[in-house]
Amino acid sequence: MDSEQTLPVIQVRGLVKTFGSFRALDELDLTVEAGEVHGFLGPNGAGKSTAIRVLLGLLRKDSGEIRLLGGDPWSDTARLHRRLAYVPGDVSLWPNLSGGEIVDLLIRMRGADPAKSRRDELIERFSLDPTKRGRAYSKGNRQKVALVAAFATNPDLLILDEPTSGLDPLMEQVFNDCVAEHTARGATVLLSSHILSEVDRLADRVTIIREGRVVESGRISDLRHLSRSKIVATLTGVVPDLAGTPGVHDLAVDGRQVRCTVDPQGLPVVLAALTAAGVEALTSSPPTLEELFLDAYRDRVDAGR
Amino acid sequence: MTSGSATTGWPLLLRLALRQDRILAPVSIGVLVTMSVASAAATPGLYASEADRVHAGDAINASPAIVALYGPVLDVTSVGELSMTKMTVLYAVFVAVLFVAVVRRHTRVDEESGRTELVGGTSIGRDAPLAATVVESVLLAVTLGLLTAAGNAVAGLDGVGSLAFGAVWAGTALVAAGIGAVTAQVSASARTCAAFAAGVIGLLFVLRAIGDTGPQWLSWVSPLGWNTQVRAYGDQRWWLLLLYPALAALLFTVAVVLRGRRDLGSGLVPARPGPATGSPRLADALSLAVTVHATTIVLWTAAAAALGVVFGMIAPGIGDLLDSETAQSIIDELGGALVAAILSVVAVVLTYFAVTVVNHAGHDEADGRAELVLATAVSRNGWFAASALVALVGTAWLLVVTGLGLWVGYVAADGPGIGNLLVAALAWAPAAWVVGALAVLTLAVGVRWSALVWAWPAAFLTLTLIADLVDLPGWVEGLSPYSHVPSLPADEWSWGSAGGLSAVAAGLLAVAWWRFRERDIG
């Protein structure tokens, strides 16, 4: 048990999945450590859902290595699935079953007992009406049905594919609390999203993918460190010419005000130049995840040219 | 009928509907026209002299079971009427099913899936989807009628009669579209609406069957009874053709009125709230499949029992006929002994139960519900086996119910002993299993093929019909599993047929299973 605790919960190396001539996953790597919330980021069509479906044994990989909870998701499917809960991005329910029936069905199908689960409490917290039929639920409410079923038991791994896309802000807060409660008891969470603020708030580490490949992966704090800072300075003296300085991007000079983004290694030179010119006001902000995200893509596009 | 603004945008929706049906409509209409033309081309050769035709027509009219199935031959001297015996009523039911399916697809199915809401958010009127569907149905009905008329005439039947016959099919299509439009308003569930529509068509068929063999006024109540009474290839009653568009217009008006009285997405029958918790029995793939199909199973069971009893009560009189050697031989030419003739049709219809179950599994997969289930501890094998089991066991169950119904009706009508009707019905189960297993295999190959499952029983039915008429090589006819079933109770039970067909079904299921466990989901 101990050795399993230290092994990554998800380990993917060089995963390739093609649909005809389309390469949906192109040598994808993904490591999710036990007990972390791992943000899985990427624009629409980047391959997030495809990767998750391979992890769930729904799609067959073309090549690459996958370990999930110490097993092979293709051959040990049913055994592994007792230990995880999955919420798809677009939840489709049986039109003639009620929400409560579906919640209990999914819990039972994972081998747990709804009566001993937190289903009632969660139905309350998510303000879900469990007596409505599947066809009568809105998108957000369909998502709540899947979320209640997933959060009601104590799975080792939660795989959540854009789980809040239909939820209102109040329900997003409930969702965040639920994720926090599950990580507090030691569960691992793979959270796919393109809502960056959500990942920023919840995730310890992120993997950013695009066109089936990883473009960035690591701790959010490390990625921030690696990335540019945004600097806005109002100077008292003559504005120095920073155009040629290594690591300076997006330079804009408006009278005595300078705006630019700076790579970490360029910061000392830029700060020295600004100080020498006499600083009246200076703000330096770390990049938001949005900027980090855009950065990752821009670099890819630049590298591609 | 409606204000201009409520139907704004219908031409756009009509184009969309025609595009969605660009495969379903031409293929289905093509199959129907082919069957009619094949009958028109081949039958005259089978009954060369007028004496032969009168003899055959008299034999049909003398047997209540065949009249119940096909309707009477009103003019026994007419080549056209004899050629269209199966087409006039029985195959008109398939026309009706096609048009109900088309209407339902563009009304309630779209509404249940939320596509109507998507369209409703644009500058398109509230009644535009229904209006577009009505116009599409009229276009398709007219096309079907004209093609059938032209085909029959080219095949050698009387031109004026063929026009009347084409009009009969077009009229049936219009009425069916009206039935589809009305039933689509009743329930919020597309499946319940389909069940209502099937029930109405079944009722019209049974009313006509009883009317044609007993109190004649009942035949006039049913549009399917009009099909015979038009006497397309005899002394035509042209005025009768006006009844179809009149009834269709009435039904469409009722549909619009009903539509105006309910909210989008709801039915006339308000949806009752469901249980807040799930039954402990609902815990695996099989119990899920049974629960999801419970209403369908109950409705099909009731329909099979009712049809069995009705035909069982009509059937007596067979015994007398079976004694007569000449009648026996004529009946054989028409495709089997009497109860066997009923069962051969019922078996194909009941196979559609298996097809709907498999098709439903395909929808579950395409929509992502299968993914939800397969992400739990339910294995692929379990999910797959559940649908296959409900499909195949359900079909066998329905055959048992039909056999019991036949027996009850037969005994109630004091019929002479003609053997075990339960065994006669069950004899069709292995053939139905083969077709059901083919449907399962189709889904296993890939979910994008799952709509094709509807084609299997229809294809085999067409093959049997054409093989009856045209001199096809034996092996071509033998491709249809239904062709290997002995015509019980006239023939003997055959272990070879039952065993062989069951083995083929098992083989197909094994291939399907082998393919399904290897393939991608969704």
Side-chain angles (χ1 to χ4, degrees), chain A residues 17 53 60 86 98 104 131 135, chain B residues 189 274-276 278 371 520-521:
Chain A
K17 175 69 195 171
R53 287 191 177 123
R60 197 182 168 83
Y86 165 58
S98 73
D104 288 3
T131 65
R135 76 167 61 81
Chain B
S189 155
E371 182 177 315
D520 290 345
I521 299 292

Side-chain angles (χ1 to χ4, degrees), chain A residues 17-19 53 56-60 74 77-78 81-82 84 86-88 90-102 104-106 108-111 119-120 123 130-133 135 146, chain B residues 112 188-191 265 271-285 287-288 291-292 295 360 364 367-380 517-521:
Chain A
K17 175 69 195 171
T18 57
F19 298 106
R53 287 191 177 123
L56 288 168
L58 296 168
L59 301 181
R60 197 182 168 83
W74 182 259
T77 320
H81 285 185
R82 284 178 178 274
L84 65 82
Y86 165 58
V87 176
D90 191 1
V91 181
S92 177
L93 304 176
W94 293 268
N96 56 350
L97 296 186
S98 73
E101 281 182 299
I102 295 170
D104 288 3
L105 170 71
L106 292 174
R108 287 198 172 97
M109 281 177 161
R110 291 205 309 266
R119 72 180 291 279
D120 292 335
I123 283 174
T131 65
K132 271 200 185 180
R133 303 279 178 183
R135 76 167 61 81
Chain B
E112 190 176 60
S189 155
R191 298 179 86 205
R272 281 165 298 145
T277 58
S279 152
R281 281 195 302 270
L282 182 58
D284 53 33
S287 56
L288 173 64
T291 307
V292 163
T295 313
H360 197 267
D364 272 354
D367 294 350
R369 289 182 290 273
E371 182 177 315
L372 215 50
V373 168
L374 292 173
T376 69
V378 170
S379 67
R380 269 175 194 245
R517 56 200 290 268
E518 292 297 308
R519 80 159 164 87
D520 290 345
I521 299 292

Side-chain angles (χ1 to χ4, degrees), chain B residues 63-65 68 310-319 338-339 342 406 410 413 415-416 418:
Chain B
S63 116
V310 167
F311 279 108
M313 294 184 77
I314 292 169
I318 303 171
L338 298 164
V339 166
I342 295 169
L406 276 172
Y410 197 78
I418 55 163

Side-chain angles (χ1 to χ4, degrees), chain B residues 278-463:
Chain B
S279 152
R281 281 195 302 270
L282 182 58
D284 53 33
L286 185 59
S287 56
L288 173 64
V290 171
T291 307
V292 163
H293 293 292
T295 313
T296 317
I297 295 170
V298 169
L299 290 173
W300 277 78
T301 302
L307 272 177
V309 171
V310 167
F311 279 108
M313 294 184 77
I314 292 169
I318 303 171
D320 311 337
L321 260 169
L322 285 176
D323 295 339
S324 140
E325 234 169 84
T326 45
Q328 172 82 66
S329 67
I330 290 163
I331 290 155
D332 283 345
E333 278 166 31
L334 281 164
L338 298 164
V339 166
I342 295 169
L343 281 173
S344 68
V345 175
V346 168
V348 177
V349 173
L350 293 185
T351 307
Y352 269 104
F353 171 79
V355 168
T356 59
V357 171
V358 175
N359 186 56
H360 197 267
H363 279 297
D364 272 354
E365 187 181 338
D367 294 350
R369 289 182 290 273
E371 182 177 315
L372 215 50
V373 168
L374 292 173
T376 69
V378 170
S379 67
R380 269 175 194 245
N381 292 347
W383 185 80
F384 191 69
S387 287
L389 206 62
V390 170
L392 301 190
V393 174
T395 307
W397 157 252
L398 291 170
L399 281 166
V400 168
V401 170
T402 309
L404 285 175
L406 276 172
W407 179 76
V408 167
Y410 197 78
V411 168
D414 279 336
I418 55 163
N420 192 335
L421 294 177
L422 187 60
V423 172
L426 260 179
W428 289 92
W433 287 338
V434 171
V435 183
L438 266 175
V440 171
L441 177 61
T442 310
L443 174 62
V445 168
V447 69
R448 65 184 170 286
W449 304 109
S450 69
L452 268 181
V453 298
W454 295 104
W456 287 114
F460 290 131
L461 190 69
T462 312
L463 186 68

Side-chain angles (χ1 to χ4, degrees), chain B residues 80-228:
Chain B
E81 273 209 33
L82 190 61
S83 303
M84 292 295 114
T85 308
K86 288 185 180 178
M87 300 298 130
T88 308
V89 171
L90 186 61
Y91 282 69
V93 171
F94 299 124
V95 173
V97 168
L98 169 66
F99 278 78
V100 164
V102 166
V103 169
R104 187 183 81 106
R105 182 181 203 191
H106 298 302
T107 52
R108 182 54 76 175
V109 171
D110 274 357
E111 204 166 318
E112 190 176 60
S113 70
R115 283 190 289 269
T116 309
E117 201 177 337
L118 192 69
V119 167
T122 65
S123 64
I124 276 179
R126 194 190 62 195
D127 290 330
L130 189 56
T133 311
V134 169
V135 176
E136 189 201 10
S137 308
V138 173
L139 287 177
L140 294 181
V142 170
T143 309
L144 172 69
L146 288 176
L147 287 176
T148 308
N152 281 8
V154 168
L157 295 186
D158 173 52
V160 176
S162 296
L163 202 59
F165 183 80
V168 163
W169 265 19
T172 309
L174 282 181
V175 171
I179 292 169
V182 172
T183 52
Q185 313 305 320
V186 178
S187 165
S189 155
R191 298 179 86 205
T192 307
C193 290
F196 274 118
V200 171
I201 293 174
L203 185 68
L204 294 179
F205 186 81
V206 167
L207 282 179
R208 180 216 54 81
I210 297 173
D212 283 351
T213 53
Q216 241 228 309
W217 63 271
L218 274 176
S219 301
W220 287 87
V221 173
S222 164
L224 290 170
W226 306 343
N227 289 11
T228 311

